[in-house]
Amino acid sequence: MDLVKELLAGSVRALSRLITLVENGAPDAARHLIELYPRTGRAHVVGITGSSGTGKSTLTDKITGVLRDRGLTVGIIAVDPSSPFTGGAILGDRIRMGSVALDPGVFIRSMATRGHLGGLAGATSDAVKILDAFGKDIIIVETIGVGQDEVEVVKAADTVLLVLVPGLGDGIQSMKAGVMEIGHIYVVNKCDRQGADQLVREVSARLEQDQRLKESRWEPPVVRTVASMGQGSGELVDALMKHRAFMEETGALEELRKKRAEEETLFIVEREIFGLVKKRLSLDQDSAKILKRVSEHELDPYTAAKKILEHTLKDNGP
Ligand SMILES: Nc1nc2c(ncn2[C@@H]2O[C@H](COP(=O)(O)OP(=O)(O)OP(=O)(O)O)[C@@H](O)[C@H]2O)c(=O)[nH]1
Ligand SMILES: [Mg+2]
């Protein structure tokens, strides 16, 4: 049977295999995605980000438990920057997400940040679509908000949870510029530790000053949790549902999805063009020579890039 049919019939094996195909940038991945596309757009995508060790996986585990109790199915993608081996990452997250890992209503997948031909954001968004088509109600993407790539990943979510913990040096100031601004819900985790109250005050004050929020009708809540004890996970899921309802009612969700569809198309165009250029360079002596002339300082990279592009489009153009 074909993979897409199997997936739509509920096969977890097909789900896994399809994600592996997109992760490896397999040439026939696009064919499957085209077939699946009409089935996407139903799931709510939640990004969960924050510095290393803040408790994202533990929170994901607990939130998932609450969502399951409310009758929703969940797909989890953990983007693991530290591990070049997807297998290793799966193991680590399975342990931290122990209580939900064996639930058939939950699918957990780790993705390494290295080695994606089409970029991490592309691979993750494809994996999200596959989980969406499979029928998961909520898809959680866990990622450390460090690199630009990861910020892109989390920006692709409908609702972004930003996790902070007390005692990480100078608190929110240490967050990378631009990361603090992307949250819809702020989580102060490890509230069993000292300094939680102060951090909640700091975050709230910062949000009050945020110019972006003055123009938006959404007021990001600051939710306190002790993920390791499951405290606050119900409130967090409530906040999540409230944001989702807000997005739906105000039309913001539709707006976001439209914009995203356009951006995604351009992203695919970019990826395709780059693919053609690379193919050209490997097959065509003239193009390869242009590149060589740059490395030997005979030609500037701007002129070279233009020439290579012209060569590529000459044979592949309209
Ligand atoms: N004291 C305390 N420890 C917690 C809490 N939540 C999580 N932890 C612990 O913090 C450690 C890191 O938790 P993870 O859930 O792995 O954190 P993470 O953000 O997913 O970590 P990375 O994926 O490596 O970035 C684990 O030992 C957890 O048990 C909490 O509320 N209080
Ligand atoms: Mg984690």
Side-chain angles (χ1 to χ4, degrees):
M1 219 166 49
D2 96 30
L3 270 182
V4 170
K5 279 213 188 80
E6 276 183 51
L7 176 104
L8 296 176
S11 158
V12 174
R13 194 194 64 102
L15 174 62
S16 262
R17 284 201 49 204
L18 270 173
I19 295 179
T20 303
L21 289 182
V22 301
E23 198 178 17
N24 296 340
D28 53 346
R31 180 168 59 84
H32 297 306
L33 289 166
I34 291 169
E35 246 187 283
L36 287 176
Y37 193 75
R39 310 256 180 176
T40 61
R42 214 186 46 86
H44 193 79
V45 185
V46 178
I48 172 159
T49 191
S51 306
S52 177
T54 47
K56 298 180 294 296
S57 297
T58 315
L59 272 169
T60 300
D61 177 53
K62 295 299 192 291
I63 295 172
T64 301
V66 175
L67 291 167
R68 293 293 294 135
D69 288 342
R70 297 189 188 181
L72 298 163
T73 56
V74 183
I76 300 169
I77 300 169
V79 178
D80 190 331
S82 51
S83 165
F85 307 108
T86 308
I90 289 176
L91 201 62
D93 286 321
R94 280 269 156 81
I95 291 165
R96 271 163 297 185
M97 296 177 193
S99 61
V100 294
L102 295 173
D103 177 349
V106 178
F107 179 89
I108 304 178
R109 177 62 178 247
S110 293
M111 285 203 161
T113 44
R114 302 272 166 261
H116 294 290
L117 292 173
L120 176 67
T124 313
S125 107
D126 289 345
V128 163
K129 284 206 193 66
I130 294 167
L131 284 165
D132 188 354
F134 183 76
K136 293 296 181 199
D137 298 311
I138 308 282
I139 298 164
I140 303 177
V141 182
E142 174 194 333
T143 167
I144 290 195
V146 282
Q148 191 52 43
D149 246 14
E150 304 219 296
V151 174
E152 292 303 318
V153 168
V154 85
K155 268 191 190 161
D158 302 320
T159 301
V160 176
L161 309 189
L162 194 80
V163 187
L164 301 160
V165 294
L168 266 195
D170 44 352
I172 54 176
Q173 282 81 350
S174 64
M175 297 245 34
K176 195 177 144 70
V179 172
M180 185 64 194
E181 278 69 45
I182 61 178
H184 301 114
I185 296 167
Y186 289 78
V187 184
V188 172
N189 188 37
K190 305 202 183 181
C191 276
D192 53 332
R193 291 199 178 161
Q194 261 191 358
D197 291 334
Q198 196 197 328
L199 181 59
V200 170
R201 280 196 299 273
E202 260 178 60
V203 175
S204 305
R206 170 92 173 247
L207 292 174
E208 265 164 40
Q209 290 162 8
D210 194 328
Q211 204 51 46
R212 169 195 62 129
L213 294 173
K214 293 199 175 109
E215 291 145 25
S216 156
R217 275 184 291 149
W218 174 251
E219 283 178 31
V222 183
V223 181
R224 304 169 61 117
T225 58
V226 183
S228 48
M229 313 281 283
Q231 283 172 26
S233 24
E235 287 83 345
L236 195 50
V237 170
D238 289 341
L240 203 75
M241 293 306 169
K242 210 170 147 192
H243 183 250
R244 174 183 163 152
F246 167 86
M247 296 279 285
E248 278 168 0
E249 284 155 18
T250 56
L253 189 62
E254 207 192 319
E255 195 76 8
L256 181 71
R257 294 203 162 158
K258 276 185 182 164
K259 200 173 125 222
R260 202 179 287 157
E262 288 181 7
E263 279 173 4
E264 194 168 23
T265 308
L266 292 179
F267 173 81
I268 296 168
V269 170
E270 190 181 310
R271 193 170 65 184
E272 292 288 308
I273 291 182
F274 191 58
L276 289 176
V277 168
K278 278 178 85 168
K279 198 164 132 203
R280 181 84 200 193
L281 285 172
S282 69
L283 295 178
D284 166 34
Q285 285 287 329
D286 288 346
S287 296
K289 266 185 208 144
I290 297 173
L291 202 58
K292 188 109 184 61
R293 283 178 62 204
V294 183
S295 69
E296 281 160 3
H297 270 272
E298 291 172 21
L299 191 66
D300 69 274
Y302 310 96
T303 311
K306 221 167 162 227
K307 277 180 189 284
I308 291 172
L309 201 54
E310 274 165 15
H311 272 260
T312 306
L313 293 178
K314 200 170 61 201
D315 293 346
N316 295 289

